[in-house]
């Protein structure tokens, strides 16, 4: 590939397909995440990154080498790795005396850091420490958020949005019941965030709907929120903007109520109820006298019309 005046021009068909895959699309690709170790990551942080990588696979890239960078002070290296690996989400792990066992969740917009939130690990149970069966790779998780803070506090709202972006997986039109094998339960309580991962087991219940049991599968975290770097409302609005081609076209005379029931409005000409065809019954038939009166009125109306025209 050659670069002239800031425009990359492909030389081969392979590089052309590569650049077409990076171009903006109406329906964007699945968001990939990159997991990066800091220069002083300890065993706890390294294992936490490995476990989250297992939850995120195959839409994740794990960097095994340590990278000496500080996301809240200098973001150029993160933006470089994002462009190189085509990842719009990132997770950075580090450890130091001031902030031990540190994880930074973040996301990109146009290969620049949009927002990131720093979480400290207070308690950690690894995926390998729990000897239970695991879910298949690439399973779409069911996300459950509990706690009033996710609805009232601005920072917790952003964290909820960020975690949904990170773990939601591919967008699918429908999900079968047997495919709901993985459950992520995230609770905000008394200033802490409890992250739990379960496997959903479908048991016999004696009826058509199975009984569901949750089995602890790991990993599980007890987080405390530390530093945050949130974008402005205008930048969030720009990042959420959708192209006009994806916006649904408004249909005339069609409305929906709060329950989703669809209503349509029909426009018809004014009807003459005297000519309305009803059920033929003896009691509804006109008598001879009524018919004669009706015929006489019609005859008078036609003669009056003829006189006007003459």
């Amino acid at each position: 590939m050659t670069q002239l005046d800031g425009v990359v021009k492909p030389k081969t068909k392979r590089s052309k397909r590569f650049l077409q895959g990076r171009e903006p699309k109406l329906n964007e690709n699945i968001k990939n995440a990159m997991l990066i170790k800091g220069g002083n990551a300890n065993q706890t942080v390294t294992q936490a990154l490995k476990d989250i990588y297992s939850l995120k696979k195959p839409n994740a890239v794990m960097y095994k080498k340590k990278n000496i960078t500080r996301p809240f002070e200098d973001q150029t290296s993160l933006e470089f790795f994002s462009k190189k690996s085509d990842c719009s989400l990132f997770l950075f792990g580090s450890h130091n005396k001031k902030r031990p066992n540190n994880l930074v969740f973040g996301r990109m917009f146009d290969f620049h850091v949009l927002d990131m939130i720093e979480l400290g690990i207070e308690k950690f149970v690894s995926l390998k420490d729990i000897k239970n069966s695991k879910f298949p790779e690439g399973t779409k998780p069911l996300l459950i958020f509990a706690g009033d803070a996710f609805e009232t506090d601005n920072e917790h709202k952003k964290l909820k949005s960020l975690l949904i972006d990170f773990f939601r997986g591919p967008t699918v039109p429908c999900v079968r019941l047997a495919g709901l094998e993985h459950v992520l339960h995230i609770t905000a309580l008394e200033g802490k965030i409890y992250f739990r991962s379960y496997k959903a087991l479908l048991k016999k219940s004696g009826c058509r709907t199975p009984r569901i049991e949750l089995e602890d599968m790991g990993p599980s975290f007890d987080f405390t929120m530390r530093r945050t770097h949130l974008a402005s409302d205008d930048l969030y609005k720009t990042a959420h903007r959708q192209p006009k081609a994806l916006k649904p076209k408004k249909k005339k005379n069609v409305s929906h109520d709060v329950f989703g029931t669809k209503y349509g409005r029909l426009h018809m000409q004014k009807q003459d109820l005297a000519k309305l065809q009803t059920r033929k019954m003896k009691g509804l038939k006109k008598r001879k006298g009524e018919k004669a009166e009706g015929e006489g009125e019609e005859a008078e109306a036609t003669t009056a019309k003829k006189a006007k025209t003459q």
Side-chain angles (χ1 to χ4, degrees), residues 272-289:
D272 187 2
L273 299 178
K275 296 179 180 179
L276 185 66
Q277 178 64 47
T278 56
R279 189 176 178 184
K280 294 181 180 179
M281 295 175 60
K282 289 183 178 180
L284 297 176
K285 285 184 178 180
K286 288 186 178 181
R287 298 177 182 177
K288 290 182 180 180

Side-chain angles (χ1 to χ4, degrees), residues 134-187:
K134 313 302 179 185
F135 61 87
E137 181 182 320
T139 303
K140 187 176 173 69
L142 179 66
L143 298 172
I144 302 172
F145 289 87
D148 295 335
F150 287 125
E151 304 298 330
T152 56
D153 184 57
N154 186 42
E155 290 184 350
H156 282 77
K157 284 181 182 179
K158 298 299 182 186
L159 177 63
K160 178 181 177 180
S161 173
L162 182 55
L163 293 177
I164 289 174
D165 254 2
F166 201 92
F167 292 106
R168 69 183 301 171
T171 303
V172 293
C174 56
V175 180
R176 64 189 182 97
L177 182 61
L180 295 175
E181 299 182 67
H182 186 205
V183 178
L184 290 178
H185 193 280
I186 301 154
T187 308

Side-chain angles (χ1 to χ4, degrees), residues 188-227:
L189 183 65
E190 296 178 354
K192 292 186 179 181
I193 296 153
Y194 301 95
F195 183 99
R196 298 292 182 266
S197 178
Y198 300 102
K199 184 177 181 182
L201 304 176
L202 304 180
K203 302 286 188 177
K204 291 183 179 179
S205 62
C207 58
R208 190 174 180 181
T209 306
R211 179 171 54 87
I212 299 174
E213 289 185 2
L214 297 181
E215 184 180 58
D216 193 6
M217 182 188 66
S220 64
F221 298 93
D222 290 356
F223 289 123
T224 55
M225 191 178 292
R226 291 175 179 168
R227 293 179 293 177

Side-chain angles (χ1 to χ4, degrees), residues 2-9:
T2 59
Q3 187 168 357
L4 297 172
D5 299 330
V7 179
V8 179
K9 294 185 178 181

Side-chain angles (χ1 to χ4, degrees), residues 291-306:
K291 284 184 180 180
E293 289 177 3
E295 290 173 358
E297 291 175 359
E298 289 178 2
E300 288 178 2
T302 51
T303 51
K305 284 181 180 180
K306 287 180 180 179

